């Protein structure tokens, strides 16, 4: 034994993946008790044909479900505080979050804080969750953020004008329900943004310093699936096979990054998102090939090799079989630029409205585990150069 096999541990909620799994949601909730709070977006309640059916199922089972309907914007500390106070008073048995990453993050934070003392802002500053949260069931309606599987919730702190996580395994979902039928109503724009988030999360966790042999398997498969299906799902949102594959790719990506962590793209994405109201996934998608270029230039053999694996997956063609790792790695990067263009998205930060004058503030606020786990070590100067090159 060489002894260099990387040890790891792995965390995950219970996972249910099935077409029309929405019909099973009341049964799953009932495992935790008769009274619950459903947090969802106005879009789902007003537009989804499954919503009335779901509420009818709850009623048939005689479960008391209170609805909390929100607009789809990213959750703030203030919003979490308000809902948490109500949940503490009502002593619900469970919290069900159905929606995109923002809604699931809100529901997760509320469920996690409900049986712990103190405000959301205190937990953003690093206070530990002492008690298990209220059982939380997460149901994503997008295929990309991975929030249904992670142990953190990203909240905007309005007073400090920053985005910070509250974090802890005690707030992780007990069950995550994946139903491709619920993702069909995503617009092409949301499909592209969330899909790029999933792709970025898969690639960043694949080359993360915290990656391990288990997460590598998940990340490789996630990248292959998302690469094969994202454009198809964007082009025809009613293609249920494409929706199913994207949801599966997102699941694998989320299992990978929630264990192996992320990199500089996500390090930058939060400060950029705090300054500009741009969708998180779009920021990630545009930054991804630029950060890959930066990481490739670090000449780290394992990173070059992994990028080459990605390039080879994208080009399933014997003609590419004899290319060097460096060439294949560059093919991977170029292909991501091409994908952005094919979906009508910008390939540079200036296309998102960012200016040179924004860079110092972004670099200043870029920190955290994402940066620590980026495969190439960074300095403020290198980060500034990277963003300048990506403008
Ligand atoms: Fe992300």
């Amino acid at each position: 034994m060489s002894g260099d096999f990387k040890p790891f541990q792995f965390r995950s909620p219970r996972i249910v993946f099935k077409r029309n799994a929405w019909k099973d949601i009341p049964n799953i909730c009932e495992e935790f008790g008769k009274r619950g709070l459903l947090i969802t977006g106005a879009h789902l309640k007003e537009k989804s044909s499954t919503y009335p059916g779901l509420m009818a199922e709850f009623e048939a089972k005689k479960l008391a479900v209170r609805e909390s309907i929100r607009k789809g914007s990213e959750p703030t500390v203030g919003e979490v505080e308000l809902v948490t106070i109500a949940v503490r008073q009502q002593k619900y048995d469970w919290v069900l979050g159905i929606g995109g990453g923002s809604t699931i993050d809100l529901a997760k934070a509320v469920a996690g804080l409900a049986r712990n003392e103190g405000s959301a802002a205190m937990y953003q500053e690093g206070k530990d969750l002492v008690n298990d949260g209220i059982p939380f069931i997460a149901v994503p309606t997008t295929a990309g953020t991975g929030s249904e599987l992670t142990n953190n919730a990203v909240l905007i702190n309005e007073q400090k004008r920053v985005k910070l996580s509250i974090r802890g395994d005690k707030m992780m979902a007990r069950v995550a329900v994946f139903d491709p039928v619920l993702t069909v109503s995503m617009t092409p724009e949301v499909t592209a943004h969330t899909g790029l988030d999933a792709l970025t999360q898969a690639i960043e966790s694949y080359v993360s310093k915290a990656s391990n042999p288990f997460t590598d398997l998940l990340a490789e498969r996630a990248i292959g699936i998302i690469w094969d299906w994202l454009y198809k799902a964007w082009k025809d949102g009613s293609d249920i096979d494409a929706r199913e594959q994207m949801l599966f790719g997102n699941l694998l990506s989320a299992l990978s990054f929630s264990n192996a962590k992320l990199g500089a793209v996500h390090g930058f994405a939060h400060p950029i998102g705090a300054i500009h109201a741009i969708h998180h996934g779009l920021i990630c998608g545009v930054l991804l090939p630029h950060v890959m270029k930066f990481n490739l230039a670090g000449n780290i053999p394992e990173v070059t090799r992994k990028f080459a694996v990605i390039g080879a997956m994208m080009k399933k063609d014997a003609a590419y079989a004899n290319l060097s790792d460096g060439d294949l790695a560059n093919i991977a990067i170029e292909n991501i630029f091409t994908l952005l263009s094919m979906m009508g998205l910008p390939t540079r930060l200036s296309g998102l409205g960012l200016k040179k004058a924004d860079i110092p503030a972004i670099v200043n606020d870029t920190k955290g585990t994402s940066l620590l786990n980026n495969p190439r070590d960074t300095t403020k100067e290198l980060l500034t150069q990277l963003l300048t090159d990506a403008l």
Side-chain angles (χ1 to χ4, degrees):
M1 285 287 286
S2 67
D4 58 2
F5 192 92
K6 219 168 174 180
F8 63 88
Q9 49 177 313
F10 192 81
R11 60 162 83 81
S12 166
R14 186 167 114 213
I15 291 165
V16 177
F17 193 106
K18 174 178 154 186
R19 271 188 207 185
N20 288 312
W22 65 268
K23 292 179 183 166
D24 301 338
I25 293 171
N27 272 337
I28 293 167
C29 292
E30 195 181 22
E31 288 177 30
F32 303 103
K34 291 280 185 191
R35 297 178 65 248
L37 177 71
L38 161 57
I39 300 178
T40 193
H43 180 80
L44 187 84
K45 185 176 166 74
E46 287 156 16
K47 302 269 166 62
S48 169
S49 56
T50 52
Y51 196 82
L54 174 66
M55 296 314 286
E57 291 280 329
F58 276 125
E59 217 173 296
K61 294 195 76 65
K62 299 203 172 4
L63 300 186
V65 183
R66 172 81 187 275
E67 294 167 86
S68 172
I69 310 295
R70 63 189 302 271
K71 295 273 177 239
S73 53
E74 297 188 27
T76 61
V77 165
E79 187 182 7
V80 169
E81 304 269 321
L82 271 179
V83 186
T84 302
I85 290 167
V87 170
R88 282 177 182 151
Q89 283 168 352
Q90 294 296 322
K91 299 198 170 13
Y92 292 111
D93 298 318
W94 44 265
V95 171
L96 168 64
I98 309 180
S102 297
T103 298
I104 292 181
D105 269 6
L106 171 75
K108 191 195 301 176
V110 166
L113 293 180
R115 289 180 184 164
N116 285 282
E117 285 177 5
S119 66
M122 290 160 75
Y123 289 90
Q124 267 189 327
E125 280 158 21
K127 185 173 162 66
D128 284 329
L129 294 165
V130 176
N131 305 312
D132 282 335
I134 293 182
F136 168 50
I137 301 104
V139 186
T141 57
T142 63
T145 71
S147 171
E148 60 280 358
L149 296 176
T150 62
N151 69 347
N152 70 307
V154 184
L155 309 179
I156 297 172
N157 189 315
E158 308 98 313
Q159 276 164 0
K160 295 186 181 166
R161 290 196 72 218
V162 290
K163 275 191 187 183
L164 283 173
S165 280
I166 61 175
R167 188 180 298 276
D169 286 356
K170 292 186 185 308
M171 58 187 262
M172 212 154 101
R174 298 287 176 92
V175 189
V177 180
F178 294 84
D179 179 355
V181 171
L182 293 175
T183 67
V184 166
S185 65
M186 262 189 291
T187 61
E189 195 181 30
V190 176
T191 303
H193 295 174
T194 52
L196 287 168
D197 193 16
L199 180 65
T200 305
Q201 287 162 177
I203 292 178
E204 288 215 287
S205 63
Y206 188 37
V207 295
S208 159
K209 282 180 184 166
S211 63
N212 65 58
F214 193 27
T215 56
D216 282 355
L217 274 177
L218 294 162
E220 276 177 26
R221 197 81 183 93
I223 296 162
I225 291 171
I226 296 165
W227 184 255
D228 286 347
W229 292 92
L230 174 53
Y231 182 76
K232 288 178 189 146
W234 174 79
K235 192 96 184 127
D236 177 8
S238 67
D239 180 345
I240 187 73
D241 292 330
R243 293 299 196 189
E244 191 163 58
Q245 292 290 338
M246 278 305 297
L247 195 60
F248 184 51
N250 156 66
L251 162 62
L252 300 180
S253 167
L255 286 174
S256 176
F257 91 82
S258 61
N259 286 279
K261 313 294 181 214
L262 294 162
V265 174
H266 277 80
F268 287 136
H270 288 171
I272 293 176
I275 302 172
H276 295 274
I278 308 165
H279 190 284
H280 167 78
L282 177 59
I283 300 171
C284 288
V286 173
L287 276 169
L288 175 64
H290 296 282
V291 170
M292 286 174 76
K293 255 189 192 173
F294 169 82
N295 285 333
L296 183 61
N299 285 318
I300 304 159
E302 195 193 346
V303 173
T304 310
R305 182 84 273 274
K306 283 182 166 177
F307 284 169
V309 171
I310 298 172
M313 265 194 292
M314 291 170 166
K315 295 278 183 198
K316 300 175 194 79
D317 187 329
Y320 292 89
N322 295 324
L323 291 183
S324 70
D325 279 1
D327 285 345
L328 282 168
N330 278 308
I331 284 173
I333 295 167
E334 286 310 315
N335 275 337
I336 293 167
F337 280 121
T338 306
L339 176 65
L340 290 169
S341 300
M342 283 168 66
M343 295 195 294
L345 300 174
T347 56
R348 313 199 67 86
L349 292 176
S350 53
L352 297 176
L354 265 70
K355 307 226 160 11
K356 201 157 190 245
D358 294 326
I359 292 178
I362 296 168
V363 170
N364 244 342
D365 288 343
T366 299
K367 38 179 113 66
T369 53
S370 294
L371 214 51
L372 289 177
N373 288 301
N374 191 69
R376 181 176 170 192
D377 290 333
T378 58
T379 59
K380 282 202 188 302
E381 290 70 35
L382 284 171
L383 293 176
T384 303
Q385 190 59 48
L386 198 175
L387 289 177
T388 308
D389 291 346
L391 258 186

